Amino acid sequence: MVSSEYNSPQTIIDNLHSAVIVIGENLQVVCMNPAAEMLFHISNARAVTKNIRELVINEHEFFDRLERSIISSHPYTVYDGQLRLHHHKVVDVDYSVSPIQFQDKGMFLLLEFIRLKTQHKLSQENSILSQYEASKSLLRGLAHEIKNPLGGIRGAAQLLEREIKDEGSDSTQLTQIIINEADRLKNLLDRMVGPKDIPTKNDVNIHKILEHVRQLVLAENNHLTIAADYDPSLPDLHADESMMIQVILNITRNAVTALDLSDKKTADRKKITFRTRAQRNCKIGSHTYPLVARVDIKDNGSGVSKEIQEKIFMPMITGHAEGTGLGLSIAQSLVQQHNGLIEFTSKPGETIFTLLLPLNTH
Ligand SMILES: Nc1ncnc2c1ncn2[C@@H]1O[C@H](COP(=O)(O)OP(=O)(O)OP(=O)(O)O)[C@@H](O)[C@H]1O
Ligand SMILES: [Mg+2]
């Protein structure tokens, strides 16, 4: 808060996790705390000149209630509300409105918004983590069991090949097929189990990685737009650069597939956006990190089909005939090696894959 009239509780209000906005009778913003600046993506200095109608859009019920609250001087609270904000993001919030009468200055409304990393969202995250762990250990066991006989089959085929050659026969083609197929299965198993390399972490700039992937994917696809909306103040990550490139690439390639650029009529409206932001006090699994880099990869494609939404990070889950269903499971595994998490929200026309990567974790 900057306005000196409201200075006394400043430190407390500035450190609240909930977003607080004070508006006047004319619905003009008087001040907001840093949590509100983050929620509404606007600085206090820019917000004070605006009417709350410019920050929350097309929410008639919300405005009606504000006006009624001013007239009646009654507070009210809404649980599990949804508001569309001026940056077009729909947020799930609990919010309360408290009228405050200042003797000499008239009526003000104190709006308090509590962002719902809803129970639903939390349990979704936990389910991503636990589902992932379960499928991973199952796969490890299975891969081990399959690789043993596979090694035997390959070895036997090699011996057979040698014998056939000694006998002067020309049918080594068949043994080659056995050897190649055994190798192919082994590679598949290795990919399913996930990367076993230990990350080599260095200070890396996330924007450099994003730009690298952006250029790469643009070079692969003629009619594609990838917009960049970066927060340049984001500190460096301590991460394995090539692993991070792999993660962003896997997610972006999925977005490209979902955009279906082969449909020439709609191709020029199709778009991917890379967006970075810092996020404070972010819970990942059971740990709360003071500062996390948030990378959103958004596309306006078809959306993730309902049937696979719950299990999208599991290996072999794919929505395409030609997909192996490994891209996201590998990406999740790589991000977890950095104590991070990939989550997503999706509806037709807007899918956002979000990478949360803790910062300052040397
Ligand atoms: N941005 C997106 N929009 C719509 N669906 C998506 C998106 N990203 C992923 N999906 C769905 O999730 C599935 C799993 O993705 P994943 O990357 O794990 O496997 P894949 O792309 O099918 O195969 P590959 O192993 O080649 O990456 C996809 O097949 C697709 O159906
Ligand atoms: Mg993929």
Side-chain angles (χ1 to χ4, degrees), residues 164-165 167-175:
I164 292 170
K165 268 189 191 151
E167 284 168 14
S169 164
D170 195 22
S171 50
T172 52
Q173 253 181 2
L174 295 175
T175 52

Short mmCIF file of all heavy atoms in Angstrom, two decimals, residues 164-165 167-175:
data_model
loop_
_atom_site.label_atom_id
_atom_site.label_comp_id
_atom_site.label_asym_id
_atom_site.label_seq_id
_atom_site.Cartn_x
_atom_site.Cartn_y
_atom_site.Cartn_z
N ILE A 164 25.14 -69.76 -38.18
CA ILE A 164 24.62 -69.75 -39.56
C ILE A 164 25.72 -69.31 -40.51
O ILE A 164 25.92 -69.88 -41.57
CB ILE A 164 23.40 -68.81 -39.67
CG1 ILE A 164 22.22 -69.36 -38.89
CG2 ILE A 164 23.00 -68.60 -41.12
CD1 ILE A 164 21.06 -68.41 -38.75
N LYS A 165 26.47 -68.29 -40.06
CA LYS A 165 27.56 -67.78 -40.93
C LYS A 165 28.60 -68.87 -41.15
O LYS A 165 29.07 -69.08 -42.26
CB LYS A 165 28.22 -66.57 -40.26
CG LYS A 165 27.58 -65.25 -40.68
CD LYS A 165 28.41 -64.09 -40.18
CE LYS A 165 27.68 -62.80 -40.35
NZ LYS A 165 28.08 -61.83 -39.34
N GLU A 167 28.18 -71.98 -41.14
CA GLU A 167 27.68 -73.01 -42.06
C GLU A 167 27.57 -72.48 -43.48
O GLU A 167 27.12 -73.19 -44.38
CB GLU A 167 26.29 -73.49 -41.60
CG GLU A 167 26.37 -74.43 -40.41
CD GLU A 167 25.00 -74.67 -39.79
OE1 GLU A 167 23.98 -74.34 -40.45
OE2 GLU A 167 24.95 -75.18 -38.66
N GLY A 168 27.90 -71.23 -43.66
CA GLY A 168 27.88 -70.65 -45.01
C GLY A 168 26.49 -70.27 -45.48
O GLY A 168 26.28 -69.92 -46.64
N SER A 169 25.50 -70.30 -44.55
CA SER A 169 24.14 -69.94 -44.97
C SER A 169 24.00 -68.41 -45.04
O SER A 169 24.71 -67.67 -44.38
CB SER A 169 23.14 -70.50 -43.97
OG SER A 169 21.91 -69.86 -44.15
N ASP A 170 23.01 -67.97 -45.81
CA ASP A 170 22.85 -66.55 -46.04
C ASP A 170 21.65 -65.97 -45.28
O ASP A 170 21.23 -64.85 -45.54
CB ASP A 170 22.69 -66.34 -47.55
CG ASP A 170 22.88 -64.88 -47.90
OD1 ASP A 170 23.52 -64.17 -47.09
OD2 ASP A 170 22.35 -64.45 -48.94
N SER A 171 21.09 -66.78 -44.35
CA SER A 171 19.85 -66.30 -43.75
C SER A 171 20.06 -65.54 -42.43
O SER A 171 19.30 -65.68 -41.49
CB SER A 171 18.86 -67.44 -43.58
OG SER A 171 19.52 -68.52 -42.94
N THR A 172 21.13 -64.74 -42.41
CA THR A 172 21.37 -63.94 -41.19
C THR A 172 20.36 -62.79 -41.07
O THR A 172 20.25 -62.18 -40.01
CB THR A 172 22.79 -63.35 -41.18
OG1 THR A 172 22.98 -62.69 -42.42
CG2 THR A 172 23.84 -64.39 -40.96
N GLN A 173 19.65 -62.52 -42.15
CA GLN A 173 18.62 -61.48 -42.12
C GLN A 173 17.65 -61.69 -40.96
O GLN A 173 17.28 -60.76 -40.26
CB GLN A 173 17.80 -61.59 -43.40
CG GLN A 173 18.09 -60.48 -44.37
CD GLN A 173 17.20 -60.68 -45.60
OE1 GLN A 173 16.39 -61.60 -45.68
NE2 GLN A 173 17.39 -59.82 -46.56
N LEU A 174 17.26 -62.98 -40.79
CA LEU A 174 16.27 -63.28 -39.76
C LEU A 174 16.82 -63.03 -38.35
O LEU A 174 16.15 -62.47 -37.50
CB LEU A 174 15.82 -64.75 -39.89
CG LEU A 174 15.09 -65.05 -41.19
CD1 LEU A 174 14.79 -66.54 -41.32
CD2 LEU A 174 13.80 -64.24 -41.26
N THR A 175 18.08 -63.43 -38.15
CA THR A 175 18.66 -63.18 -36.82
C THR A 175 18.82 -61.68 -36.59
O THR A 175 18.66 -61.19 -35.47
CB THR A 175 20.02 -63.89 -36.66
OG1 THR A 175 20.84 -63.52 -37.77
CG2 THR A 175 19.87 -65.39 -36.60
#
